[in-house]
Amino acid sequence: MAAPEKADAPREAAPSGRKAALSDREGFLAWAMLLPSVVYIVALVGVPFVLAIAFAFSDVTTGDPSYDWAGFRNFTAVFDDGVFWRALSNTLVFTLASMVLIVVFGKILANILVAEFHGKWFVRFLVLLPWTTPVALSTISWLWFLDSIYSPSTGCCGS
């Protein structure tokens, strides 16, 4: 009778002279599985980011796509413009006010939803209704659209 193997015994190495299959090489397999998502992120985030930086230092416009180096002229023009500073202050005020309101009303709503009172489930239903209704309606619409008898694409009046 052979002695039982230890649980922490190292795995048996591949026999010499035989290369490991690609699916057995964990490092290669990890990179192969990550590669599509890395390419996707670089294509959809990295390339536009680099183009935005390059365009910020050029005189590229919609009507004239020729690329001529402008340096920091674009930035000095923007920082000297009063409309930019007004728009920036409006954006900051709007962001601050909306964040304060979101936090305050979110806390109030959270306290209402965890409180014990008569009709608690009805209030939860009313809160979740705007979230669930579009999904339910689109599901019903697709079921109707793909129906073999009542679909609008089947035509009308026996044609």
Side-chain angles (χ1 to χ4, degrees), residues 33-100:
M33 294 293 181
L34 283 175
L35 186 63
S37 60
V38 169
V39 169
Y40 184 75
I41 290 170
V42 167
L44 292 180
V45 176
V47 172
F49 179 74
V50 170
L51 283 174
I53 299 296
F55 290 162
F57 291 99
S58 73
D59 66 346
V60 173
T61 61
T62 304
D64 181 21
S66 64
Y67 186 90
D68 293 321
W69 180 257
F72 286 98
R73 284 187 307 221
N74 292 336
F75 296 99
T76 56
V78 166
F79 291 143
D80 290 339
D81 190 4
V83 175
F84 166 76
W85 291 108
R86 182 65 182 176
L88 181 65
S89 66
N90 289 345
T91 301
L92 293 176
V93 167
F94 176 80
T95 302
L96 182 66
S98 62
M99 287 294 106
V100 167

Side-chain angles (χ1 to χ4, degrees), residues 118-142:
H118 188 68
K120 171 182 171 180
W121 294 107
F122 183 69
V123 172
R124 284 186 177 177
F125 167 75
L126 291 177
V127 168
L128 291 176
L129 190 62
W131 177 68
T132 57
T133 302
V135 175
L137 290 178
S138 66
T139 303
I140 292 170
S141 299
W142 276 104

Side-chain angles (χ1 to χ4, degrees), residues 10-48:
R11 279 204 243 168
E12 218 176 277
S16 61
R18 190 180 83 160
K19 290 187 175 182
L22 288 179
S23 61
D24 293 336
R25 295 173 50 198
E26 291 180 13
F28 173 79
L29 192 59
W31 281 107
M33 294 293 181
L34 283 175
L35 186 63
S37 60
V38 169
V39 169
Y40 184 75
I41 290 170
V42 167
L44 292 180
V45 176
V47 172

